[in-house]
């Protein structure tokens, strides 16, 4: 992670600094540490972001802890009203939020608006919180005895989010966290931090009490302070697998409830009976949308049998038509990558793949914006004849590079997916319902698409992978989200007639 000392007399001295949001107001950083925020389409640094110290994180926890008793005691009806207002305000400010995503992440406006649409669905789900928190009630479990279950909030909870969805992933977390009565601290990615502050303002304007939602910007120092703070009850994380594992191990060792979603390597199986054009459209859309910087992007296409050659041709034919450019160009379909360092790492897989014997069908470095722009652009790349031991298959590339593998049978294709350490998403393309159903039964992956290349569950299901794509038990948002942010209490209750009371040292029986 970057921590830059500001060069004396540098042109960046006068740039605006993005600070924190603590106790219902914007707060400038005081640690003296900060990192650069770039516009990926121009390659220029446009802002700084303050990096919180352990003490600054502590003041956010203090604000959240102070707000908790009042917020958890706020009636469900009032909390619902505030959730509806939040939903409406975020909806009204979609374009403003999308512009911030384009400016700092680089995704084109249509993609940024898609991110917001899926995020807002989580706010809408949380508007149903009275229904979601209904517990069970059993009357007369013994004579005059009733049992019921209630779900209560945990207290102060924190969310640590990745660069690739600066608005949606925070909404995955805070919508259910605050609706269930917790107070929340968000630690956004330091690469695109501004959307978090606009969200904070909208939440305040919607009537959310001060301290219920806080934002602490920063790097590993802020993350470690979250993991160590005794007053933080739970941590939700989304990011790369090594950090997810670290968050899970450290957080749980410190007694916290943790859900940590990690990286991915999503396979798209194409069976010989599939419609080749439809499969090629899906592979290009899901491989190159958001420049491949999605944890549900298709990373590798596994072509079974005779479909391989026509599918490679069909994908290759589509690549020159993908319009690459800055978000300011209304015709652009794919923007730059998030940083130069990341762009160069992604491009390096083309060299290692060629050296390890793969075939480079399309090389994104040949796109004019790669060399001809200061922005972090890379064109679309297609690598064929990929083998499981190659770096371009083993690593999560997280960029606009689609790899292709050729296998003879469905069983071989399934083995590839199930042997892979990641298990986030997968898709099968076929016209055979029986084959699709068998795949859904066999595959060790958390989210499966049948002729759907990016099977991100809707907000009333839950999102999460298996294996190295998730550390923890509960998936994110939806019903699992409600469960994650609450703990259950079971009450056994009797209102006896005092005249029937007596001493009985036996273990309580129901019959
Ligand atoms: P990242 O792991 O580098 O960063 C995620 C968060 O962790 C950021 O807030 C960052 O500041 C923090 N962080 C980074 N390094 C840290 C360290 N050493 N110690 C403590 N905290 C640290 O991930 P990223 O590059 O921002 O996002 C891309 C990754 O996220 C990809 O691997 C992608 O697959 C994954 N992702 C997964 C999902 C999912 O739902 N499974 C969704 C989106 C992104």
């Amino acid at each position: 992670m970057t921590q830059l000392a500001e060069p004396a007399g540098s042109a960046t001295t006068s740039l605006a600094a993005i600070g924190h949001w603590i106790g219902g107001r914007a707060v400038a950083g005081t640690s003296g540490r900060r990192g650069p925020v770039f516009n990926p389409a121009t390659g220029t640094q446009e802002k700084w972001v303050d990096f919180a110290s352990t003490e600054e994180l502590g003041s956010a926890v203090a604000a959240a802890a102070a707000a908790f008793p009042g917020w958890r005691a706020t009636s469900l009806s009032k909390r619902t009203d505030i959730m509806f207002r939040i939903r409406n305000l975020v909806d009204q400010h979609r374009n403003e939020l999308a512009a911030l995503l384009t400016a700092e992440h680089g995704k084109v406006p249509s993609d940024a608006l898609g991110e917001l649409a899926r995020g807002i669905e989580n706010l809408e789900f949380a508007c149903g919180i009275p229904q979601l928190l209904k517990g069970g009630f059993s009357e007369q479990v013994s004579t005059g005895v009733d049992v019921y279950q209630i779900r209560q909030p945990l207290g102060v909870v924190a969310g640590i989010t990745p660069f690739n969805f600066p608005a949606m992933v925070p909404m995955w977390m805070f919508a259910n966290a605050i609706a269930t009565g917790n107070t929340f601290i968000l630690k956004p990615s330091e690469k695109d931090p501004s959307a978090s502050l606009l969200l904070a303002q909208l939440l305040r304007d919607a009537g959310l009490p001060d301290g219920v939602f806080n934002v602490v910007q920063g790097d590993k120092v802020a993350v470690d302070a979250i993991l160590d703070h005794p007053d933080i009850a739970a941590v939700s994380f989304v990011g790369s697998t090594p950090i997810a594992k670290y968050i899970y191990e450290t957080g749980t060792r410190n007694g916290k409830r943790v859900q940590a979603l990690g990286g991915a390597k999503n396979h798209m199986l194409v069976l010989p009976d599939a419609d080749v054009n439809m499969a090629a459209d899906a592979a290009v859309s899901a491989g190159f949308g958001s420049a491949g910087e999605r944890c549900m992007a298709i990373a590798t296409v596994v072509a079974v049998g005779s479909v391989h050659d026509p599918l490679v041709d069909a994908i290759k034919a589509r690549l020159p038509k993908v319009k690459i450019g800055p978000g300011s160009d209304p015709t652009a379909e794919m923007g730059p990558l998030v940083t130069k360092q990341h762009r160069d790492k992604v491009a390096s897989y083309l060299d290692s793949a060629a050296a390890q014997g793969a075939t480079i069908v399309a090389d994104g470095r040949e796109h004019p914006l790669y060399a001809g722009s200061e922005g972090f652009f890379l064109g679309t790349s297609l690598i064929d004849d990929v083998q499981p031991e190659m770096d371009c298959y083993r690593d999560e590339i997280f960029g606009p590079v689609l790899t292709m593998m050729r296998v003879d049978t469905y069983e071989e294709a399934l083995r590839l997916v199930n042997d892979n350490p990641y298990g986030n998403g997968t898709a099968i393309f076929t016209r055979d319902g029986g084959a699709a159903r068998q795949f859904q039964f066999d595959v060790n992956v958390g989210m499966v698409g049948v002729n759907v290349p990016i099977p991100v569950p809707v907000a009333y299901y839950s999102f999460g992978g298996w294996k190295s794509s998730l550390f923890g038990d509960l998936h994110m948002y939806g019903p699992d989200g409600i469960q994650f942010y609450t703990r259950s209490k079971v009450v056994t209750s009797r209102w006896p007639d005092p005249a029937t009371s007596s001493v009985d040292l036996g273990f309580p029986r129901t019959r």
Side-chain angles (χ1 to χ4, degrees):
M1 294 173 67
T2 32
Q3 183 203 335
L4 292 191
E6 186 181 334
S10 145
T12 58
T13 311
S14 57
L15 295 179
I18 300 159
H20 317 296
W21 183 274
I22 298 175
R25 63 188 183 92
V27 175
T30 55
S31 72
R33 296 170 58 253
R34 56 191 190 170
V37 179
F38 288 91
N39 179 337
T42 60
T44 42
Q45 183 189 340
E46 299 206 334
K47 300 165 205 157
W48 290 101
V49 57
D50 292 323
F51 285 175
S53 62
T54 304
E55 293 69 32
E56 287 170 296
L57 182 274
S59 65
V61 177
F68 177 63
W71 180 238
R72 83 162 276 221
T74 301
S75 72
L76 267 179
S77 155
K78 177 73 185 159
R79 272 193 258 152
T80 305
D81 180 38
I82 291 175
M83 291 313 299
F84 270 100
R85 289 169 191 273
I86 290 173
R87 182 263 170 215
N88 289 344
L89 272 182
V90 173
D91 180 43
Q92 284 160 23
H93 289 81
R94 274 177 204 242
N95 290 332
E96 232 174 295
L97 281 159
L100 290 175
L101 305 190
T102 299
E104 295 180 2
H105 173 282
K107 59 179 71 180
V108 296
S110 56
D111 191 28
L113 287 166
E115 162 171 358
L116 288 162
R118 294 307 298 264
I120 288 169
E121 288 176 14
N122 288 273
L123 299 175
E124 290 166 351
F125 177 77
C127 289
I129 196 63
Q131 183 69 20
L132 295 164
L133 282 180
K134 272 165 95 172
F137 190 102
S138 300
E139 188 187 42
Q140 196 75 350
V141 298
S142 183
T143 310
V145 177
D146 303 329
V147 174
Y148 49 98
Q149 187 207 22
I150 50 184
R151 300 205 71 89
Q152 297 189 328
L154 305 178
V156 180
V157 299
I160 301 163
T161 53
F163 81 82
N164 65 325
F165 286 108
M168 181 184 77
V169 172
M171 286 191 260
W172 283 4
M173 300 173 180
F174 77 71
N176 290 327
I178 63 176
T180 47
N182 299 279
T183 54
F184 191 85
I185 295 172
L186 172 65
K187 205 303 281 172
S189 169
E190 68 278 28
K191 296 192 177 85
D192 40 23
S194 291
S196 64
L197 292 184
L198 178 50
L199 284 168
Q201 285 171 37
L202 297 175
L203 268 61
R204 180 202 52 197
D205 295 349
L208 192 71
D210 293 349
V212 175
F213 180 80
N214 306 274
V215 179
V216 170
Q217 311 287 359
D219 59 354
K220 183 171 167 55
V221 172
V223 171
D224 285 344
I226 287 172
L227 296 174
D228 288 341
H229 203 296
D231 293 343
I232 294 181
V235 178
S236 299
F237 173 88
V238 175
S240 61
T241 287
I243 311 298
K245 192 161 183 281
Y246 169 74
I247 301 282
Y248 182 75
E249 289 175 354
T250 314
T252 51
R253 195 167 52 242
N254 291 343
K256 301 182 195 312
R257 188 178 284 195
V258 181
Q259 53 177 184
L261 277 61
K265 192 79 186 178
N266 304 318
H267 299 67
M268 171 173 154
L269 270 60
V270 184
L271 300 194
D273 70 337
D275 183 297
V276 170
N277 283 319
M278 188 178 136
D281 285 340
V284 172
S285 309
F288 301 104
S290 206
E293 292 173 326
R294 290 182 185 142
C295 68
M296 290 294 275
I298 290 297
T300 191
V301 176
V302 184
V304 179
S306 58
V307 79
H308 176 267
D309 293 349
L311 188 58
V312 174
D313 290 345
I315 293 175
K316 185 180 172 193
R318 283 161 172 74
L319 298 189
K321 296 179 196 149
V322 175
K323 180 80 200 301
I324 298 164
S328 55
D329 173 354
T331 65
E333 298 171 299
M334 184 181 120
L337 282 92
V338 69
T339 59
K340 180 173 189 312
Q341 191 187 23
H342 183 55
R343 191 272 308 265
D344 293 346
K345 179 156 187 256
V346 169
S348 75
Y349 284 98
L350 292 156
D351 290 331
S352 68
Q356 290 165 8
T359 307
I360 309 297
V361 179
D363 187 331
R365 294 171 297 191
E366 289 168 8
H367 192 280
L369 285 175
Y370 175 72
S373 155
E374 294 298 311
F376 312 139
F377 290 98
L378 179 65
T380 50
S381 298
L382 182 64
I383 309 179
D384 194 12
D385 302 316
V386 169
Q387 297 296 325
E389 63 281 2
M390 293 179 180
D391 292 338
C392 65
Y393 178 74
R394 291 161 65 99
D395 295 354
E396 180 186 33
I397 299 178
F398 218 59
V401 177
L402 193 59
T403 58
M404 293 221 40
M405 307 176 87
R406 180 198 299 257
V407 295
D408 292 329
T409 62
Y410 162 79
E411 287 74 19
E412 261 183 87
L414 177 71
R415 208 173 312 125
L416 263 179
V417 186
N418 284 350
D419 285 352
N420 194 280
Y422 296 106
N424 211 43
T426 188
I428 186 164
F429 277 70
T430 179
R431 287 188 255 216
D432 180 342
R437 190 182 179 283
Q438 191 62 45
F439 180 64
Q440 156 212 307
F441 184 80
D442 289 335
V443 76
N444 293 331
V445 167
M447 294 171 282
V448 180
V450 175
N451 298 314
V452 172
I454 308 187
V456 175
V458 289
Y460 38 97
Y461 285 81
S462 297
F463 183 108
W466 288 12
K467 302 189 278 185
S468 294
S469 297
L470 174 78
F471 300 88
D473 307 300
L474 291 169
H475 289 193
M476 206 158 280
Y477 70 72
D480 278 22
I482 299 297
Q483 220 179 315
F484 182 78
Y485 291 121
T486 55
R487 50 189 170 175
S488 138
K489 190 180 272 180
V490 178
V491 181
T492 304
S493 142
R494 180 161 60 131
W495 295 97
D497 175 350
T500 63
S501 176
S502 65
V503 173
D504 178 357
L505 299 192
F507 192 70
R509 281 162 299 164
T510 52
R511 293 175 210 184

